[in-house]
Every structure is written in C-alpha cells, then in structure tokens.
Amino acid sequence: MRHSTRIAVGPVQFRIGSDWRAPIAALEKLYAAYPGEDARPADATVRLFAARPWRRWLRPSVHIGGDFVVPDALPLPLSMGLLAAEMGMNLQVALGWRRHMLLHASAVAKDGCAVILSGESGSGKSTLAALLGEGDWRLMGDEFTLIDPATGDALAFPRAVSLKNEAIGEIAARVDAGRLGPLLAGTPKGDIRHLIPRADAVAAMHEPVRPALLLFPRFGGETAIEPMGEGEAFVRLTEASTNYIALGEPGFAALTRLVRETPAFGISYPDSAAGMALVEQLFAEARR
Amino acid sequence: MVDRVYRAAPPDALRIEPLGELTAVFDRRSMQTHLVISPLPEILAMMGNEAVSASSLAGRLAADFDLDGEGDVAVLVADRLAELAALGLVGEV
Amino acid sequence: MSAMRLLVDLLAGRRGAATLAPREWDGVMSVARAEAMLATLAHRLDGADLPPSVTTLFADQRAAAAVARTQSLWEAEMARRALASERIEFVLLKGAAYAAAGLSCAEGRQIGDLDILVLGHDIGRAENELLEAGWEWVKPDPYDDAYYREHMHELPPLIHKARDRMIDVHHTILPRTHRVTPDPLVLMAEAVQTSSGFRVLSPPAMVCHCAAHVLADGDLQGGLRNLWDFHLLVTEFTGRDTGFQAQLFKQAALHGLVDVVKRALRLSHRLYDTPLMLDQRTVPSDDLFIRRLLARDDWGRPTQFALHQAFYIRSHWLRMPPLMLSRHLWTKWRKR
C-alpha cells in the first residue's frame, strides 16, 4: 500500500497500510514512544483503503480492512482516519488473536497485582483506568486485557486510550497537552480524543501481572458494592471474551482459575472520584 | 410416555468444575462449555458409564435424595435427560 | 517474488523457510490468512527454522485449528445423532470428511459448514429430523429458497440455533442444472467407513468431488486451499496405491468429470508438484487459472479485477442454462 507503519502494542506486532498519509502520520505521532521492533514479522495486518480509486480524493472515505474484515462495516470520513486505524487494530486482535484469552476489559496494576474492569462501553471502565493510570497505578490497557492460559497472569495491551465525550475534559485537565491526540468530533461514537499512556506504562507492557480483583463497573446511581459469585463472574467474562471458545480447554481452565482465585464485585458509582475510591478500597481489602 | 434410554458421555470426555451455585462442564468432544445447575450434575454423576432409562434413574434419584411423589420425579428426570441430550452430554441409546 | 508465489513455494517445499527475509513473512502471513491457509502453513512448517515470533504465531494457529477441527467433528456427531432414529444414511463431504478419515489435508485445514450427502429420496426425512434436533432455516427469502431446492445440489442451508453452526445437506455433489451430474447412488454405495464411525466417499470419488469443488463448483474463490486439499489427497492415495490415478480417471468418467480432474491435476502439479502417474499435455488456458489462483498482492488484497469477474460469470455459466442465468442475475441485481 502507498503508506504504512509498524506498531507493537503488548504482544502484538501490527502492520498498518493506508491509501492516505494522514492516518499513518497520526498513528506514528501517538505511538512514537512505543518500541518499534522493525525486523519482527507482523502478527496482524490492517488496511485502510478507498473502495474506488477516485474516492482517495473525492469525498474520501476510509474503509477498514485487514486480515479480518467485518462485512457491511461503514466507512469513515478521512478526517476520522485515526479512529479507523484504531478500530482496524482492535478488530484484528479481537478476531485473530489466539495466544491469550482476550477480555474486553480495562486494567491497571500496582505492586505486581492487577485490577481488571469489565463492562459495556459507557460503564466508565476506560475513564477509570485512564484516571488511575495518571496516579500511582500502571495503566495496562483501556480496551483489552489478555490472560495467559499457561500461568493465569494478566498481560497488558496499552494502546492509546480512547477517551470519549465528558472523559476528554476530565483527563485533559490533568495531563500535558502533548500526550493528547487530535480531537475527533462527531464520530459515530461521539467525540473522541486519544491519550498516550505514560512512558512507564509503555516500558512495562511486557511484564505479566497477577490478577487481584475483578470489577464490573456501572456508571451512574448511588455508590454500591455487590459481591459476585464465581459462576456469575464466569458467565460475564465468557461474554466479555472474543476468543474464549476458540481457545478450547486451556481457555476453560484459565477462566475457571481466574474466577476462583480472584474476588469479583459489581460496583456502581456516581462520578469518577467515587469510582476511583471504590477501586482503591476493594484493592486494599483484596490484598489483606 | 416413552421411557427413553440414555448413556452419559464417557468420563474422560468431560471436565466438571463447580463454581459456587453453578457447575461448569467442559465437553472435550465439542469444545463447548455448559453451565448447569442442580440436579443436572447429580444426574450425570449417577448415570456413570451404563445405559439407563429415565424411569430407573428417577427411582434411584428418589431413593438417594429421599424425594416424594415418584411420578413427578420420573417426568422431571425425563425432561432433564432430554435437555442433557440436546447439549450432547448424554446420548440416546 | 510475490507473497502468493512465496506461499505456494513454501507449501510445495520448493523454498526453505529459513531463506525468507523478515519483511517477506508479512506478505506470506497476510495472503495465507486471506486464503484461509495460515494454520495449514503452520503445520507444513512445523519444526522449520523460523523467526521466533513466527514460531509462536504458528503454534497458536495449530492449537486453534485443533480446537476447530474437534468442533467440526462434533457437528458431524450431532448430525449423526439427529439422523440415527430414522436410520438415514449419510456421507460426510469436504473438510469434515478429511478430518474424520484422518487424512493429511485435514491438518490445520479450516472447516466451515458441515457438508453431508444423503440420497434424494431421504432428503425430506433428513430435513425433518434436523429441524426437530434444533437446526433452522437461514434464508427467509422465498426466491433463494426455491432456487436452492430446484436448481442447486443441496437444501437451503440450515443453522443450529444453539451452536450457531451451519449444515449443508446435499443430494448430489454438483447442481442438478450443471451440465454434468455425478451419480449420487454410486457415490453412496461405494462410500467407506472410517475408524471414527463416519462414512466418507471412496478415495477416487473423494478426489473427483474435490476437483469438482475446485473447478466446476465456483469461481475459484478459495481455490488455492481447495487445490491444496486436492494435491494432498492425490499424493496420499497415490502413495498408498500406485494404481490410484488410473482408478481416479475411471471414476471421473463415471461422473462426467474427466476434464475437470485432468485440469485439477495439471494445476496442482504446477503449483504444488503433485506427482503425476499419467502423461498430461499442457493446456494454454491453465495459465489463466494459475493467474486467477495467485491474484493477491502482498497486503492480501485481491488483484486482477477483470479476471475475477470472468471467473465469476464462468461459475454461473457452468451451473445454469443461459436463460436461467440471465433470470438469476436479474433477480439478484434487483435486490441490491
């Protein structure tokens, strides 16, 4: 393809090709500080392309393709090329990765122990992880958390955090402007702005961490903590995993172990400060 | 009602892990995970490796668990066996 | 050298994996994925001298393929249970058959739908039993439904409501409207029992069906993979019995598939070095087929648009009388 770049996030080496320069330039800016293992063959390929040659210029719209494709996925305008690239990268991991159990969850770590936050979009899991990652936690990822079936450890996938709507202002108030990507206004998912994880989070991205706490956050309503049984946590995590079935028995064993060894809670919280306090409190209790 | 005869999956085919109120059953032949609740794990355990009819199984369950109203137990067991057969965990002989 | 050429050379063993530059792996992996052959390549290169990240990725692929293979054999088992009470005989076709028979082409092979063959007069009962066992119709469209039933060689596809897996029930191995029609009675009668308890086509019939699947049954989509099946089947059966290729031609004559089998042999010999026991003349149009089979760039994208279209029209031309073809394309076009 005309333009391309390579990015390593956690264990995945991406090759991203594009018919336009802009999305590649934007990616290279966001991922400038990530280790570029240039000689390593790619695990996953993403393609950003124009459906017809003239659409590179005329009302350019970016189709997302690659090793795995979602039929009927709508293209995005070129101004949202960066979002298309991120969606393409997520798609390849969600559909193609087989080495680890993939949980649609954010995660943060402290002292070698991980808190895994699993929830639908809108649950605030990304925002909570991003905010904690600006404090004394290491951000592991805002979208995917990987579980190693052999050891039961959690592995990081610290792509650039995708901040949405209100979360943009909340984070922008706390971080250096140089760590924020361009504002993508009015995307199908609302306003989006990417946050580059802190250098320590990127430097530590290959270090495995013991899961210490499983949280299922729900944004809104009174502060509440509900202990969750092993069975329910198991069911919810199979639903949050894109490759649980494909892993076969190792996936079953890893998930069984995860819910047995890790205390799980559903939490509700009215605002980010309350949510962060809940995470700190439950983490302290889990480690006692 | 037809008294159907079933045989459970061979013991090495299943990996059974109790998870609190649920039991997770992994079937190595199908790579499927089934989450079941009582009395399905008990029925599977009781069937062992032999072919059993729904009525004889109901009789054994009633004796072991001291259940009342044997007729209802037979219907209940027949229904549960049909569910297990749909999951492939038991097969009709 | 193009990534497609590299992939084919690696599969055929003409090129050692250690000779690839790191960047060449990118393309090989992308085109292998696009052709649904990454796990196949992973099996073919098991133990080869590979970059570390390729070694681990290939191990992932082999493990995932083993899971998928078990799942597809389970679908066959569930179909067996569903059809057992009515004692409906069936034969496994394609991927599930290769896996059930333990053939080398099943290693790493992606298996999609379950394909089974039942005799024409059993088709109604088979349909009923499957519907009762939890399968349901996929196509609610009456035109498609009628099209399948009247002109194709299968029931409209069924999907299992709990397991979300498709089954294609065939009553012959090529569409009825196809200009050649293999005799299903002969196929069923000569089917063989595998050690796993399933019935599969006899080796010559299996290879004939595979060739038909490559060439007569479609527009060469997935052709590289199907031809790889064909190559391994022919190689394996020829290794067991040097007279196999003669039997193959006898069988092909029975079903009107001689030209198809000859073409498949020539193509697979050119791409994968399949051993040919009988003399084969070269045919100029083979070049077009090879070009179509290798039409992908290093990013996995299809190239040669016009050639694709030509083969697409050809696939319908083979399947339908001209009047019906125009009616079909017209109906399809109006639905867009």
Side-chain angles (χ1 to χ4, degrees):
Chain A
M1 299 194 76
R2 271 190 185 72
H3 308 279
S4 70
T5 189
R6 310 172 78 77
I7 296 171
V9 182
V12 188
Q13 172 86 21
F14 292 97
R15 170 175 71 139
I16 302 127
S18 167
D19 281 343
W20 306 268
R21 174 71 197 141
I24 298 294
L27 276 178
E28 283 175 343
K29 213 167 156 210
L30 276 187
Y31 290 93
Y34 283 60
E37 301 170 59
D38 257 17
R40 182 179 147 192
D43 299 298
T45 289
V46 177
R47 302 190 313 253
L48 305 174
F49 62 97
R52 298 276 178 270
W54 58 87
R55 292 302 289 268
R56 281 181 53 224
W57 315 107
L58 184 71
R59 283 179 287 118
S61 64
V62 184
H63 286 258
I64 303 169
D67 296 332
F68 297 89
V69 185
V70 176
D72 312 328
L74 289 177
L76 291 168
L78 183 55
S79 60
M80 296 173 194
L82 179 58
L83 176 63
E86 286 274 331
M87 286 168 69
M89 290 164 73
N90 285 344
L91 183 70
Q92 304 314 315
V93 173
L95 299 182
W97 196 249
R98 294 289 179 267
R99 194 166 311 153
H100 308 103
M101 184 166 64
L102 204 63
L103 298 177
H104 190 225
S106 67
V108 289
K110 189 153 65 174
D111 308 330
C113 293
V115 178
I116 297 170
L117 301 122
S118 170
E120 307 281 307
S121 65
S123 65
K125 66 178 189 321
S126 287
T127 313
L128 274 183
L131 286 166
L132 290 163
E134 295 306 315
D136 55 356
W137 295 80
R138 164 190 153 201
L139 175 73
M140 294 180 69
D142 77 318
E143 183 81 13
F144 294 125
T145 301
L146 313 176
I147 304 293
D148 183 349
T151 61
D153 285 339
L155 288 165
F157 187 77
R159 52 159 219 166
V161 178
S162 166
L163 302 169
K164 293 187 193 85
N165 303 321
E166 293 79 26
I168 297 174
E170 212 170 339
I171 299 282
R174 293 167 192 242
V175 305
D176 186 275
R179 284 182 51 213
L180 293 170
L183 175 69
L184 308 169
T187 78
K189 300 173 175 186
D191 291 351
I192 288 187
R193 199 162 181 191
H194 290 96
L195 168 72
I196 301 169
R198 276 195 332 218
D200 56 315
V202 176
M205 72 181 178
H206 296 304
E207 286 171 23
V209 191
R210 222 49 234 158
L213 191 58
L214 283 169
L215 296 181
F216 298 87
R218 197 170 50 230
F219 180 76
E222 292 293 293
T223 296
I225 299 173
E226 276 176 67
M228 189 180 287
E230 292 170 4
E232 188 182 347
F234 186 97
V235 173
R236 287 199 183 214
L237 290 177
T238 55
E239 286 164 2
S241 175
T242 55
N243 66 358
Y244 166 73
I245 294 169
L247 291 181
E249 191 169 355
F252 176 79
L255 196 54
T256 308
R257 178 176 172 185
L258 182 64
V259 300
R260 278 198 182 138
E261 294 181 356
T262 321
F265 300 91
I267 56 170
S268 303
Y269 59 99
D271 53 55
S272 299
M276 288 163 72
L278 279 179
V279 174
E280 297 281 3
Q281 177 199 335
L282 289 168
F283 185 69
E285 285 169 14
R287 303 196 58 209
R288 225 183 286 136
Chain B
M1 196 178 81
V2 191
D3 190 16
R4 296 178 194 276
V5 178
Y6 296 93
R7 189 189 294 276
D12 61 348
L14 303 183
R15 177 162 171 178
I16 299 176
E17 304 280 359
L19 294 173
E21 66 282 17
L22 295 179
T23 300
V25 181
F26 183 79
D27 190 335
R28 296 187 172 105
R29 301 164 305 168
S30 65
M31 297 282 144
Q32 284 179 305
T33 302
H34 305 288
L35 289 154
V36 297
I37 53 166
S38 191
L40 294 187
E42 290 80 1
I43 289 177
L44 276 178
M46 189 164 270
M47 288 176 78
N49 209 13
E50 48 188 309
V52 277
S53 68
S55 62
S56 76
L57 195 61
R60 277 197 263 168
L61 273 169
D64 274 30
F65 292 95
D66 203 19
L67 300 170
D68 297 330
E70 237 178 84
D72 294 344
V73 176
V75 174
L76 181 136
V77 169
D79 286 352
R80 296 295 88 79
L81 281 168
E83 286 171 22
L84 287 169
L87 300 177
L89 292 174
V90 305
E92 209 175 327
V93 179
Chain C
M1 183 180 268
S2 83
M4 284 298 257
R5 275 281 168 201
L6 270 179
L7 171 64
V8 166
D9 284 355
L10 286 168
L11 288 168
R14 280 189 295 265
R15 172 108 184 235
T19 65
L20 264 67
R23 279 291 190 280
E24 286 182 304
W25 281 108
D26 288 347
V28 168
M29 238 110 73
S30 276
V31 298
R33 275 204 153 110
E35 296 291 333
M37 293 184 83
L38 190 58
T40 298
L41 184 67
H43 270 280
R44 186 76 179 87
L45 298 182
D46 194 5
D49 185 6
L50 303 168
S53 71
V54 177
T55 304
T56 33
L57 191 74
F58 278 0
D60 301 342
Q61 294 297 319
R62 286 190 297 268
V67 171
R69 173 189 172 136
T70 307
Q71 285 171 323
S72 62
L73 282 174
W74 180 252
E75 281 307 299
E77 169 62 17
M78 291 313 269
R80 191 192 62 73
R81 291 185 190 185
L83 299 178
S85 60
E86 285 286 307
R87 301 188 188 286
I88 299 167
E89 295 237 9
F90 71 95
V91 168
L92 292 179
L93 299 173
K94 301 186 201 169
Y98 307 151
L103 294 165
S104 58
C105 66
E107 286 189 337
R109 187 188 188 278
Q110 205 174 71
I111 305 175
D113 307 344
L114 175 67
D115 291 280
I116 65 171
L117 176 69
V118 303
L119 285 175
H121 66 258
D122 278 339
I123 202 107
R125 287 193 305 144
E127 186 177 356
N128 285 341
E129 291 305 302
L130 292 171
L131 288 173
E132 212 156 277
W135 276 272
E136 46 192 28
W137 301 119
V138 181
K139 300 237 176 195
D141 181 325
Y143 172 77
D144 281 337
D145 191 77
Y147 170 70
Y148 265 96
R149 285 173 189 274
E150 281 169 36
H151 306 302
M152 294 294 283
H153 49 128
E154 55 197 68
L155 286 176
L158 293 158
I159 193 161
H160 195 275
K161 58 186 169 203
R163 293 190 305 277
D164 207 26
R165 304 273 303 213
M166 305 250 277
I167 186 169
D168 288 330
V169 183
H170 305 247
H171 46 85
T172 171
I173 56 172
L174 286 175
R176 277 184 177 170
T177 53
H178 205 283
R179 299 196 178 117
V180 286
T181 42
D183 187 343
L185 265 174
V186 179
L187 294 172
M188 285 294 265
E190 291 178 356
V192 292
Q193 185 93 9
T194 66
S195 56
S196 50
F198 292 106
R199 279 154 57 81
V200 300
L201 296 176
S202 71
M206 186 185 277
V207 173
C208 280
H209 182 217
C210 183
H213 189 44
V214 176
L215 290 166
D217 197 18
D219 57 355
L220 288 198
Q221 191 127 38
L224 210 59
R225 198 274 309 263
N226 296 334
L227 202 61
W228 177 250
D229 290 342
F230 179 86
H231 159 72
L232 286 182
L233 291 174
V234 170
T235 307
E236 190 165 351
F237 294 143
T238 305
R240 284 188 208 165
D241 174 1
T242 48
F244 173 75
Q245 293 187 19
Q247 295 163 33
L248 175 60
F249 280 111
K250 227 186 256 168
Q251 179 83 217
L254 216 56
H255 302 302
L257 288 169
V258 173
D259 290 344
V260 166
V261 165
K262 278 187 175 168
R263 167 103 62 190
L265 275 170
R266 291 194 307 268
L267 295 176
S268 127
H269 176 70
R270 275 178 65 173
L271 287 178
Y272 301 127
D273 297 336
T274 315
L276 296 186
M277 307 302 279
L278 304 160
D279 245 8
Q280 294 287 338
R281 281 181 307 118
T282 55
V283 175
S285 60
D286 286 353
D287 291 348
L288 274 181
F289 283 78
I290 298 277
R291 261 173 54 208
R292 166 66 183 88
L293 287 167
L294 299 181
R296 234 176 240 293
D297 70 8
D298 294 4
W299 288 83
R301 291 175 298 183
T303 54
Q304 311 229 15
F305 180 73
L307 200 55
H308 275 265
Q309 289 304 305
F311 273 93
Y312 177 74
I313 291 170
R314 170 184 175 273
S315 78
H316 282 81
W317 176 257
L318 283 173
R319 254 185 245 160
M320 296 176 167
L323 181 63
M324 211 176 108
L325 172 61
S326 54
R327 215 158 43 211
H328 177 72
L329 292 177
W330 171 245
T331 311
K332 285 281 172 199
W333 178 80
R334 281 200 315 177
K335 279 177 199 243
R336 284 201 165 166

